[in-house]
Amino acid sequence: MPPIKPIPESPPDWPGEVHFRPIGRVCSPFREKFGIPRQARLAPAARARLEMLPPYDREEAFSGLEGFSHLWLLFVFHQDCLAAGWQPMVRPPRLGGRAKIGVFASRSPYRPNAIGLSAVAWHGLTRDQAGLSLSLSGVDLLDGTPVLDIKPYVPYADALPDASPGFTGKLEDRRWAVQFSDEAEQQLAGADPDGRLGLRALIEQVIGLDPRPGYMDRYPRRDTFALQLHNYDVQWQIAGNHARVISITGAASAR
């Protein structure tokens, strides 16, 4: 039996590097990583706009997409992840940030190529002074995220009801009931008087998902947390089996 030849690191006909150019960028309510839902569509109130960049801002490039309700977005984890590099073993939040698994068994951003994939709802195209954009909801994307490609979500091929969920099927989602203090109610009315931002629903859904790191049980005395949504700092407390929003104020970065 002839000896097995080792596989070369890079076949001679492969390029050493592959470069991609973003086709658009996301404008979302998530101005920092803390609080972003850990998967798309967990917070339907998380609305966003995907601004197309020239020369891809052409209506004809989207001809035929109007019959689809959801899209796949291929994007780049751009904040910190590119500089941090990849890790062969990661601690996914779904396992409480403790247990390690291989990076290719996870959706961690710390990958050899910091590329992510999200299925989001889309609500049509808009052409205005800012250019051509797509209206989206249920996003899990940081504001400013570069998008590499858009593909239609095709239910007959993409929805696999018999697929095995791996380690994710063994865990229960923890969700909080969310209440607002009287002061927070008044601040919310001032921050989103006409409901255009959908700020109440967004706060309820994001905090209700319990965005805290899984290792927070190491700090049982800490009960107050804050995150930024749109241009507002939202502060809340854990009280028994629910979360209580105590203030909604203009973010320091927006003042």
Side-chain angles (χ1 to χ4, degrees):
M1 187 173 181
I4 298 175
K5 295 182 179 180
I7 299 175
E9 293 185 4
S10 296
D13 57 339
W14 283 17
E17 293 184 0
V18 179
H19 298 276
F20 293 97
R21 179 180 180 182
I23 63 170
R25 65 176 181 178
V26 172
C27 297
S28 89
F30 302 114
R31 307 301 168 84
E32 58 185 12
K33 290 190 294 184
F34 181 58
I36 297 179
R38 289 165 182 151
Q39 298 294 337
R41 295 184 295 135
L42 293 180
R47 300 198 296 258
R49 186 174 73 255
L50 171 54
E51 296 181 343
M52 301 302 298
L53 299 173
Y56 315 110
D57 54 342
R58 299 174 59 168
E59 282 86 347
E60 60 264 37
F62 298 90
S63 177
L65 197 60
E66 59 273 3
F68 293 91
S69 62
H70 292 76
L71 306 174
W72 288 109
L73 299 184
L74 192 67
F75 62 91
V76 177
F77 293 104
H78 66 297
Q79 190 181 79
D80 301 332
C81 300
L82 291 175
W86 80 287
Q87 302 173 14
M89 299 289 289
V90 295
R91 293 184 171 92
R94 184 107 177 134
L95 293 177
R98 295 176 183 268
K100 280 189 173 185
I101 62 172
V103 66
F104 297 126
S106 80
R107 296 192 177 185
S108 167
Y110 301 106
R111 322 185 69 78
N113 296 297
I115 296 174
L117 183 69
S118 288
V120 301
W122 96 290
H123 308 283
L125 294 172
T126 301
R127 171 75 73 175
D128 55 23
Q129 294 179 347
L132 185 69
S133 63
L134 286 74
S135 298
L136 310 172
S137 66
V139 301
D140 58 345
L141 302 170
L142 187 68
D143 187 56
T145 294
V147 172
L148 300 178
D149 200 7
I150 302 166
K151 300 180 188 296
Y153 180 93
V154 181
Y156 83 87
D158 297 341
L160 305 172
D162 298 326
S164 172
F167 67 83
T168 65
K170 303 174 184 177
L171 306 170
E172 295 183 1
D173 289 324
R174 178 172 58 185
R175 294 178 182 260
W176 299 104
V178 179
Q179 301 175 356
F180 293 78
S181 69
D182 291 342
E183 181 179 7
E185 286 282 7
Q186 294 177 0
Q187 293 169 335
L188 178 63
D192 192 17
D194 57 3
R196 181 180 59 85
L197 294 178
L199 191 56
R200 176 186 293 275
L202 182 61
I203 291 172
E204 291 175 340
Q205 291 172 13
V206 169
I207 294 178
L209 290 169
D210 189 5
R212 301 175 303 158
Y215 55 75
M216 284 308 302
D217 56 357
R218 302 177 191 173
Y219 309 98
R221 295 185 179 181
R222 182 177 177 185
D223 63 357
T224 303
F225 303 86
L227 55 79
Q228 187 175 347
L229 296 173
H230 292 291
N231 289 324
Y232 297 97
D233 287 326
V234 180
Q235 191 173 35
W236 84 95
Q237 293 178 331
I238 300 300
N241 61 351
H242 68 275
R244 180 177 176 81
V245 179
I246 57 177
S247 71
I248 304 169
T249 57
S253 61
R255 293 175 190 147

